[in-house]
């Protein structure tokens, strides 16, 4: 699927339970994601290992684990239709007797044995926007052997203030591309109860030429039981380039294994250095602020859940900021997916 820099796309991580085969096809054609995972799985999974693949989807990671010699792979996925595709794939590869499909949300799955490796790709472009923290914490407690390992082993989330008048214009006009008519912005806003199109983030490739300051690491996830799913981070950016501050770009760099890194920050679309299915996260600012070098942006980035957690995968992100010039307040913004009329 062709796309351009700074084009604003439907935020697929906010609509997980609606994912269909089209999105899985996009994932399967995502070169940087696929090649990193294949190499990492073949590095980590050893003959006779027991593997759990959380969110197995169409089963490609499970297949690679079996090809690496795994004795058994438990493939868990909440999406029944997609899990059927995994079963077909594994059958075609003549590996059916070593694959156990489980059509449940992982919290409700029970396994007869513990695993050497818990494998997953439940990553959003912010790292945790597909709720990986509690899902993998539960997996660590119930599925992983004492000396077992996670793949990915560490995720780091970075944020950077950016200038993208092109993305801003599309959001004003509520123009948002998507892989099919099934994913529609106004419908999603209604579903989530969000009134303003500036209170949701978008998938978009925001090039490094748009950066107004240096990216800062805001969160690191190690899956050791200490990761937080609810947090508030404060970061201070010194502006280096004059421009119109229109939003915040977020992205992750994941160590899949000791030797394989999946870095989604790239912006070379033609050179296949971008992740087609993840892109970057673009958190917009409704009233952009003209900034100059040495201005200071104090950014508060938060994640939480609705009080009544009725829908799985529903989460709240917030991005609030104050911009100072010579200690005087120049502008501020307050946005987030928590701004709902529940
Ligand atoms: C990003 S896709 C990855 C699919 C596949 N592993 C791949 O790499 O192509 C994530 C999949 O995980 C499933 N999923 C996410 N969280 C889950 C959970 N806690 N339990 C079961 N399935 C989950 C979704 O339904 C989706 O099919």
């Amino acid at each position: 699927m062709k796309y351009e820099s700074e084009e604003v796309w439907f935020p697929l991580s906010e609509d997980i339970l609606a994912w269909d085969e089209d999105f899985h096809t996009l994932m399967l054609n995502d070169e940087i994601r696929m090649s990193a995972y294949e190499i990492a799985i073949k590095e980590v999974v050893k003959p006779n290992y027991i593997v759990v693949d959380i969110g197995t989807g169409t089963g490609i990671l499970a297949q690679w684990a079996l090809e690496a010699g795994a004795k058994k792979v438990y493939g868990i996925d909440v999406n029944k239709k997609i899990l059927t595709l995994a079963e077909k794939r594994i059958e075609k590869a003549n590996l059916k007797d070593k694959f156990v499909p489980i059509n449940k949300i992982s919290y409700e799955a029970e396994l007869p044995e513990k695993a050497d490796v818990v494998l997953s790709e439940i990553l959003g472009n912010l790292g945790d926007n597909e709720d990986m923290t509690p899902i993998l914490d539960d997996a660590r407690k119930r599925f992983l052997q004492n000396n077992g390992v996670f793949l990915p082993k560490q995720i780091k989330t970075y944020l950077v203030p950016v200038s993208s008048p092109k993305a801003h214009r599309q959001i004003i006009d509520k123009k948002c591309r998507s892989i099919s008519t099934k994913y529609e912005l106004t419908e999603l806003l209604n579903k989530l109860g969000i009134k303003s199109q500036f209170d949701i983030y978008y998938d978009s490739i925001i090039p490094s030429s748009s950066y107004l300051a240096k990216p800062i690491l805001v969160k690191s996830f190690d899956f050791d039981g200490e990761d937080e799913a609810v947090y508030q981070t404060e970061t201070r950016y010194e502006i280096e380039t004059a421009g119109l501050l229109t939003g915040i770009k977020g992205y992750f760099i994941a160590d899949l294994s000791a030797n394989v890194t999946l870095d989604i920050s790239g912006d070379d679309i033609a050179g296949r250095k971008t992740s087609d299915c993840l892109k970057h996260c673009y958190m917009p600012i409704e009233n952009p602020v003209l900034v100059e070098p040495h201005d200071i942006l104090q950014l508060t980035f938060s994640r939480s859940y609705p009080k009544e957690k009725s829908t799985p995968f529903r989460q709240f992100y917030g991005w609030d900021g104050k911009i100072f010039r010579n200690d005087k307040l120049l502008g501020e913004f307050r946005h987030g997916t928590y701004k709902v009329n529940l």
Side-chain angles (χ1 to χ4, degrees):
M1 180 163 290
K2 285 219 155 106
Y3 59 94
E4 286 174 18
S5 202
E6 297 176 75
E7 240 173 27
V8 162
W9 281 72
F10 183 94
L12 282 153
S13 293
E14 289 293 319
D15 208 7
I16 294 177
L17 296 173
W19 290 356
D20 60 5
E21 208 179 327
D22 286 344
F23 182 43
H24 281 272
T25 304
L26 185 69
M27 285 189 254
L28 293 171
N29 289 324
D30 185 327
E31 270 177 35
I32 72 161
R33 185 191 89 105
M34 294 291 275
S35 60
Y37 263 91
E38 183 170 10
I39 298 167
I41 289 168
K42 292 187 173 169
E43 177 189 315
V44 171
V45 177
K46 306 284 181 228
N48 290 321
Y49 268 19
I50 302 295
V51 174
V52 180
D53 181 13
I54 297 195
T56 196
T58 59
I60 185 64
L61 310 186
Q63 182 178 343
W64 286 331
L66 289 168
E67 286 169 1
K71 184 157 87 182
K72 193 164 279 179
V73 176
Y74 294 92
I76 307 173
D77 206 292
V78 69
N79 186 328
K80 188 169 186 183
K81 220 168 143 194
I82 299 297
L83 187 60
T84 310
L85 301 178
E87 289 176 78
K88 281 193 189 143
R89 170 199 296 287
I90 301 289
E91 190 170 354
K92 206 168 156 200
N94 276 325
L95 295 163
K96 196 179 163 202
D97 54 332
K98 296 179 177 177
F99 181 67
V100 183
I102 302 172
N103 177 218
K104 284 192 172 150
I105 192 150
S106 54
Y107 301 109
E108 289 168 12
E110 305 277 349
L111 303 183
E113 57 191 331
K114 291 214 169 181
D116 301 287
V117 179
V118 168
L119 187 60
S120 67
E121 197 283 78
I122 48 171
L123 298 167
N125 43 25
L126 287 170
D128 58 2
N129 37 339
E130 290 172 16
D131 214 22
M132 67 167 182
T133 306
I135 295 171
L136 296 183
D137 196 44
D138 172 61
R140 183 182 54 78
K141 290 179 188 143
R142 298 192 308 116
F143 300 156
L144 196 62
Q145 278 190 20
N146 283 342
N147 55 354
V149 295
F150 276 110
L151 189 169
K153 67 198 287 281
Q154 187 185 56
I155 317 279
K156 289 183 169 165
T157 304
Y158 293 81
L159 298 180
V160 54
V162 294
S163 180
S164 179
K166 187 175 160 186
H168 190 71
R169 183 73 248 168
Q170 292 162 73
I171 296 170
I172 290 177
D173 295 341
K174 276 200 172 175
K175 272 199 188 142
C176 169
R177 280 195 71 187
S178 66
I179 52 170
S180 78
T181 50
K182 185 170 177 205
Y183 306 103
E184 209 275 315
L185 179 64
T186 306
E187 262 177 44
L188 178 68
L189 292 174
N190 288 340
K191 188 149 92 181
L192 299 178
I194 296 174
K195 269 189 278 178
S196 165
Q197 67 268 39
F198 284 93
D199 285 320
I200 192 149
Y201 60 86
Y202 295 85
D203 294 352
S204 184
I205 296 299
I206 305 293
S208 58
S209 56
S210 318
Y211 292 6
L212 295 172
K214 286 193 182 66
I216 294 180
L217 172 71
V218 294
K219 210 69 201 150
S220 188
F221 304 91
D222 302 297
F223 316 120
D224 54 1
E226 302 291 318
D227 297 330
E228 301 162 305
V230 174
Y231 52 81
Q232 181 165 307
T233 69
E234 313 280 344
T235 33
R236 182 182 180 276
Y237 295 86
E238 180 168 344
I239 300 296
E240 293 182 348
T241 310
L244 190 66
L245 170 65
T246 66
I248 309 295
K249 163 176 166 175
Y251 61 88
F252 71 75
I253 300 178
D255 286 337
L256 297 186
S257 64
N259 297 308
V260 182
T261 299
L262 172 59
D263 176 349
I264 66 155
S265 67
D267 52 22
D268 180 4
I269 298 172
R272 312 294 290 144
K273 296 282 186 280
T274 54
S275 167
D276 302 337
C277 66
L278 290 154
K279 300 191 176 64
H280 307 141
C281 179
Y282 178 69
M283 290 172 265
I285 297 171
E286 184 166 12
N287 298 308
V289 183
L290 208 48
V291 293
E292 288 178 2
H294 309 301
D295 288 350
I296 300 297
L297 164 65
Q298 280 177 0
L299 179 70
T300 305
F301 172 66
S302 64
R303 186 178 191 279
S304 61
Y305 294 107
K307 276 206 184 77
E308 283 177 27
K309 204 171 177 287
S310 49
T311 322
F313 302 109
R314 185 68 176 104
Q315 61 200 336
F316 289 158
Y317 282 102
W319 53 102
D320 305 342
K322 287 189 171 155
I323 302 107
F324 295 92
R325 181 169 300 160
N326 301 323
D327 294 330
K328 281 202 185 109
L329 188 67
L330 184 69
E332 57 189 315
F333 55 90
R334 194 172 178 79
H335 286 296
T337 60
Y338 62 85
K339 287 196 167 180
V340 290
N341 39 7
L342 288 176

